[in-house]
Amino acid sequence: MNPALEQHRLMHGLNDAERTRLLDCAEPHHYAVGTPVLRQGQAANRLVLITAGRVEVRLSGAGARVTSLETLGPGETLGWSWYVPPGRWQFDSWALEATDTLEFEAGCLRSAMSQEHAITEAVLGELVHTLAHRLTAARLRLLDLYANPGS
Amino acid sequence: MESLQRIDLVGFGSLLAQLQAEGYTLIGPRLEAGTIDYGAIEGPDDLPIGWRDEQSPGRYRTLPRNDRAHFGFNATPASFKTRLHRSEETVLEVQRGEQGELRFVPVIPAVKKQAWIGARSCELAALAIQDRVLKDSADPDPRYAARREGVFIVAVHCGQAGGTCFCTSMNAGPKAEGGFDLALTEILDGPEHHFVVETGSDAGAALLERIPHSQPTAADLRRAADAIEHARATMGRHLDTDGLKTALYAQAQHPGWEEVADRCLACGNCTAACPTCFCSSYEDQVELDGANARRTRHWDSCFNADFTHLAGGPVRASTPARYRQWLTHKLASWHDQFGTSGCVGCGRCITWCPVGIDITAEASRIRQANGEPPK
Amino acid sequence: MQTQDCMAPRTARIRSVTNELASGEVFTWTLEHTDGSALAGNPGQFNMLYAFGCGEVPVSISGRTPNGQLQHSIRTVGRVTDAMRTLTAGTEIGVRGPFGTAWPLDEAAGRDLVVVAGGLGLAPVRPLLQLAAADRIHCRKTLVCYGTRTPADRLYPDDLRRCAAHPRIEVRTTVDRGDTGWRGEVGVVPRLLLQGGFDPDHSIAVVCGPEIMMQFSVDALRQVGVADRWIYLSMERSMKCAVGLCGRCQWREHFICKDGPVYRLDQIADLLGISEL
């Protein structure tokens, strides 16, 4: 196993058998610069762990400016919509650089989670950790800390 | 120099007259507008002879006494602070020449001789603190220093304590332990009415030589000691200062700050009345001619919203935070900053608080209650 | 002899004015004393700058020109700084200072220097960028992590470019909001620190920006293993006198004008999280 993956939070607390079970759900992918990783509105079917490169999360809509919301890099996970109804990607994400990922298929994950409590803990733990960090970051940015307070 | 002398009322008059003859302006207590406060006096007749005060949280009254005591009252509304650290003054004048060249001229008053008559031990303790903050710091205020230089002090040891006094808790009285040129104890016992005088400096000793005085009797000395003991025994309040700094630092997030802030009006009366509060603001103004400008300083208060103003708003936006700052500074952080408490136990902040908040009660409540974990 | 007065400024002249942002809200003065001498001051310290008749404001030292003239970047946030923005080269002003503590440049020797800045917080650390680019800090490498509101709000692009081109300096920037054409990072500054690239056991971090941004950056630095003793922050409070007489900049026992503005985290760690202190 890739040492970075071995160190990853997702693998913490899992024994060898559980790790194997989890990794059985995963497949590596490569994205060229400027290609989509996840498309807003499509069925959410996987959890994406970025192993190299950089991905931009965007929101687009009729009449709306395409806005870059956040950039994500190695070690960060992307895609929780497969776990949350209605099961469609809420955001677009695009590879800003040549990007390598490890992608866990949602159906396989669900079945592993239903069988192994430790895997449920690991996957939900990672999701909650990611959501908490993104929420904090979003709140910090809402504060608009660098705005000129005098203006 | 522990040689005590005795002067009678005539001698006391001579003392004031001699000071005037030597060029001192006399600043002493006067009965005025229902208070006993410091102001310019010309002689003993200007003193509040036969008057006393009653002080309690949020309350001050002057009442006649049944004797002719000259110093039979307690802390005045304003302290001697106002004589050195002026509530408002110009500190700098700036001139701009025709080519836009600037010239900065510090405004520093000439040394003027002023004699403080009747300064109490708490006043002298406060003076020592102000000296440390404004005169003996790395960057002293030359205006304070200039005024300070001309001060001659005739202290009076307290013969009674007021309802809001707690100088004994702060090691600041009721007997002045130093920092004076002369110190008087007023003796009033039936027909006996005179002063026991203690000299605290060469200037004080020299002055005493020039006025009629005599050896005090053993009875005089006993009465003087009794008077001070009486003040000690009638102390209106008490504050336990043992471990107080640590406790207040630890209780920064205590809900008690919210409770006191429900009553606190954030009016700043306490900081104005306090003999050690020194915080100030500076303002720059330009004259109509456009060629002259000046910078003035005026007293500020940590209770003002503007006091901690940053571009994004005040740092201490809420009253609990401001009250916590004031009390913690006075009783705790002052020690770290200046090696002394910032409080002398004069009780002015208690008396002059419009809602009667009592620093001794709040400090002990905050320290005693079990702190809730930080929110 | 005239009595020394800590409130009396010395005269100085604005040599030049540079606009730092298209909005005009930040500008830099290059200053010299009217006798031609350079203004004193070390990175991290500040001066009190006086504009005739308007007033005085504390401004951190934000660099020196190649020939040693001191620079101050000023943001228009109120009456005094608005007036300062209208002043042109050649205008005489008043200067008191320098005041306060400086960044501990000597302590960077042999360590990775991590410079963390947010918004206008780059101004007080810009001298470090200049010195690092000129190989005048004896650190192993320098990592600059800088966050702004938008790409257009980034200060000192020339200094950032010079640093990025230096073999031993890495520059990471991030923005709260990208704009069209922005291909860089979008997110908060602490994220840049979690990307690693420095040895937490042999680093020294200097942090400058809004207090909340500094608190979250401290969390990230601790998370990657930098000890409090090797983290320095620059604190900001209201100041009128800069010498401990006005009392406004008190932060419990500290007078930030004298004891700060630059603090080592382990000396203030217990104060940092207490709100409205």
Side-chain angles (χ1 to χ4, degrees):
Chain A
M1 190 171 26
N2 165 340
L5 182 59
E6 203 167 347
Q7 293 295 311
H8 197 274
R9 231 176 1 254
L10 198 49
M11 297 297 156
H12 285 183
L14 298 186
N15 61 31
D16 285 349
E18 289 155 353
R19 286 178 180 211
T20 306
R21 179 83 175 84
L22 182 59
L23 287 172
D24 279 347
C25 297
E27 267 189 23
H29 277 264
H30 178 82
Y31 298 92
V33 183
T35 56
V37 179
L38 307 176
R39 296 306 306 261
Q40 195 174 326
Q42 290 185 356
N45 54 2
R46 63 202 197 272
L47 171 69
V48 179
L49 170 63
I50 301 167
T51 52
R54 212 150 50 91
V55 171
E56 176 184 78
V57 181
R58 293 182 193 166
L59 190 57
S60 52
R65 241 171 359 122
V66 174
T67 307
S68 175
L69 295 167
E70 195 155 36
T71 47
L72 303 173
E76 295 184 283
T77 50
L78 175 67
W80 57 74
S81 297
W82 60 272
Y83 195 76
V84 185
R88 300 199 170 276
W89 299 124
Q90 304 292 304
F91 299 94
D92 263 358
S93 47
W94 294 72
L96 276 177
E97 299 167 2
T99 297
D100 293 316
T101 62
L102 197 59
E103 308 199 349
F104 300 80
E105 200 274 317
C108 179
L109 270 183
R110 277 202 200 85
S111 120
M113 287 163 75
S114 68
Q115 287 158 20
E116 301 287 352
H117 179 68
I119 293 179
T120 310
E121 289 258 304
V123 172
L124 291 188
E126 171 61 20
L127 284 187
V128 170
H129 176 93
T130 300
L131 287 171
H133 268 74
R134 303 254 169 94
L135 182 61
T136 300
R139 284 173 172 173
L140 276 179
R141 286 155 64 193
L142 265 182
L143 286 178
D144 206 3
L145 288 172
Y146 311 131
N148 185 345
S151 64
Chain B
M1 182 165 45
E2 187 56 30
S3 77
L4 297 173
Q5 298 294 325
R6 166 181 156 157
I7 55 174
D8 57 19
L9 293 182
V10 175
F12 177 68
S14 307
L15 173 68
L16 301 192
Q18 185 62 34
L19 281 166
Q20 281 177 313
E22 292 181 18
Y24 285 96
T25 301
L26 304 181
I27 308 294
R30 300 179 307 183
L31 183 66
E32 195 174 286
T35 65
I36 298 167
D37 216 347
Y38 298 120
I41 59 169
E42 295 302 325
D45 291 347
D46 289 342
L47 298 176
I49 296 172
W51 284 86
R52 65 187 176 96
D53 57 44
E54 257 183 21
Q55 301 192 34
S56 57
R59 188 171 179 279
Y60 177 97
R61 295 285 181 279
T62 47
L63 299 161
R65 293 174 64 98
N66 54 14
D67 59 23
R68 288 189 46 81
H70 287 38
F71 297 98
F73 51 86
N74 299 292
T76 51
S79 70
F80 275 115
K81 172 174 84 171
T82 58
R83 303 283 146 187
L84 303 181
H85 185 49
R86 305 308 299 260
S87 59
E88 184 164 356
E89 67 180 318
T90 299
V91 298
L92 182 71
E93 284 173 352
V94 192
Q95 295 150 9
R96 182 163 67 173
E98 288 186 1
Q99 311 301 316
E101 69 276 16
L102 300 184
R103 196 165 155 259
F104 296 101
V105 186
V107 180
I108 298 168
V111 175
K112 274 194 202 146
K113 294 166 94 173
Q114 50 175 318
W116 294 357
I117 310 302
R120 305 303 175 92
S121 59
C122 59
E123 295 274 11
L124 299 184
L127 180 66
I129 293 171
Q130 290 256 310
D131 281 354
R132 219 177 265 214
V133 175
L134 298 170
K135 182 168 76 70
D136 303 332
S137 71
D139 295 288
D141 173 22
R143 284 153 289 275
Y144 178 92
R147 294 195 183 95
R148 178 73 177 89
E149 205 180 319
V151 176
F152 184 97
I153 295 173
V154 180
V156 167
H157 300 310
C158 286
Q160 72 284 310
T164 57
C165 288
F166 58 104
C167 64
T168 43
S169 303
M170 308 313 296
N171 288 321
K175 182 177 189 295
E177 299 295 349
F180 52 80
D181 296 290
L182 293 173
L184 312 179
T185 311
E186 188 169 18
I187 308 291
L188 258 166
D189 192 0
E192 300 272 348
H193 192 180
H194 51 260
F195 297 92
V196 170
V197 190
E198 186 183 341
T199 50
S201 72
D202 292 344
L207 182 74
L208 190 57
E209 281 311 308
R210 279 172 245 141
I211 59 166
H213 61 274
S214 60
Q215 284 293 320
T217 64
D220 289 334
L221 297 180
R222 197 190 61 243
R223 287 189 190 107
D226 286 351
I228 293 164
E229 208 38 59
H230 176 67
R232 208 180 293 279
T234 54
M235 204 55 57
R237 280 174 154 65
H238 173 76
L239 177 66
D240 179 9
T241 59
D242 194 31
L244 187 55
K245 185 185 101 175
T246 314
L248 289 173
Y249 280 2
Q251 303 286 21
Q253 322 241 24
H254 190 279
W257 300 113
E258 312 269 346
E259 196 277 318
V260 59
D262 282 345
R263 288 172 283 139
C264 175
L265 309 175
C267 68
N269 258 18
C270 50
T271 58
C274 177
T276 69
C277 274
F278 60 88
C279 290
S280 337
S281 190
Y282 293 82
E283 266 169 29
D284 288 274
Q285 293 134 343
V286 64
E287 308 287 332
L288 284 175
D289 62 9
N292 291 281
R294 68 204 150 84
R295 177 174 301 164
T296 53
R297 176 186 57 202
H298 56 84
W299 288 357
D300 205 338
S301 169
C302 51
F303 284 95
N304 291 340
D306 204 40
F307 188 68
T308 55
H309 177 80
L310 280 179
V315 172
R316 289 182 214 113
S318 72
T319 304
R322 293 182 210 160
Y323 189 84
R324 177 181 67 191
Q325 164 60 24
W326 180 71
L327 186 138
T328 307
H329 185 215
K330 203 98 306 205
L331 297 176
S333 42
W334 209 296
H335 285 280
D336 285 334
Q337 294 170 343
F338 302 108
T340 166
S341 171
C343 175
V344 297
C346 70
R348 285 186 177 91
C349 59
I350 307 172
T351 299
W352 295 99
C353 174
V355 295
I357 293 172
D358 178 347
I359 186 174
T360 64
E362 298 306 329
S364 58
R365 199 165 53 81
I366 296 282
R367 77 180 288 165
Q368 275 163 15
N370 287 324
E372 286 181 2
K375 280 179 241 173
Chain C
M1 195 191 84
Q2 197 170 41
T3 313
Q4 283 294 311
D5 186 356
C6 56
M7 289 308 294
R10 270 186 78 185
T11 51
R13 186 177 292 115
I14 304 172
R15 288 279 306 202
S16 63
V17 183
T18 315
N19 239 339
E20 299 293 354
L21 294 178
S23 65
E25 74 170 81
V26 180
F27 56 93
T28 299
W29 283 352
T30 301
L31 299 173
E32 64 178 13
H33 281 300
T34 43
D35 63 7
S37 63
L39 272 69
N42 293 313
Q45 292 189 295
F46 67 96
N47 276 307
M48 298 298 289
L49 303 182
Y50 168 84
F52 178 77
C54 300
E56 204 179 45
V57 285
V59 185
S60 65
I61 288 167
S62 34
R64 282 191 189 273
T65 60
N67 60 0
Q69 284 163 338
L70 198 77
Q71 295 186 310
H72 282 291
S73 291
I74 302 166
R75 183 187 220 174
T76 56
V77 289
R79 195 180 54 84
V80 178
T81 47
D82 285 349
M84 286 177 164
R85 182 178 165 181
T86 67
L87 302 184
T88 52
T91 306
E92 272 194 30
I93 62 160
V95 176
R96 293 192 296 127
F99 298 112
T101 50
W103 298 115
L105 293 180
D106 293 344
E107 292 197 359
R111 298 188 157 257
D112 294 345
L113 172 62
V114 183
V115 178
V116 188
L120 195 66
L122 192 65
V125 296
R126 180 187 177 221
L128 305 184
L129 270 54
Q130 293 180 329
L131 292 171
D135 290 312
R136 286 172 58 198
I137 301 179
H138 303 291
C139 53
R140 284 195 307 212
K141 62 167 283 191
T142 303
L143 171 64
V144 179
C145 296
Y146 180 37
T148 57
R149 196 184 193 193
T150 70
D153 291 319
R154 278 179 302 164
L155 292 169
Y156 316 126
D158 291 345
D159 291 288
L160 291 171
R161 252 193 305 277
R162 217 166 288 134
C163 283
H166 189 285
R168 287 187 300 114
I169 307 178
E170 183 187 348
V171 177
R172 295 178 190 162
T173 57
T174 187
V175 296
D176 282 349
R177 237 168 287 153
D179 55 14
T180 323
W182 174 250
R183 283 288 164 270
E185 301 268 349
V186 180
V188 295
V189 175
R191 265 195 70 237
L192 302 178
L193 296 166
L194 299 177
Q195 291 168 2
F198 56 99
D199 176 359
D201 292 328
H202 298 93
S203 287
I204 178 168
V206 303
V207 188
C208 190
E211 206 164 311
I212 294 174
M213 168 264 168
M214 293 201 289
Q215 288 181 20
F216 279 90
S217 299
V218 161
D219 288 346
L221 287 164
R222 284 172 169 164
Q223 192 183 325
V224 298
V226 182
D228 285 9
R229 187 255 167 274
W230 292 104
I231 300 173
Y232 287 82
L233 314 177
S234 180
M235 297 299 300
E236 187 190 11
R237 285 293 184 273
S238 174
M239 287 177 195
K240 291 278 185 179
C241 75
V243 291
L245 295 179
C246 78
R248 298 169 87 93
C249 68
Q250 286 180 82
W251 191 32
R252 208 172 69 186
E253 69 268 35
H254 301 279
F255 287 97
I256 285 178
C257 66
K258 297 193 295 184
D259 307 324
V262 173
Y263 285 100
R264 208 171 80 188
L265 179 58
D266 58 351
Q267 297 163 335
I268 53 163
D270 56 331
L271 303 188
L272 203 58
I274 304 176
S275 70
E276 295 191 64
L277 195 63

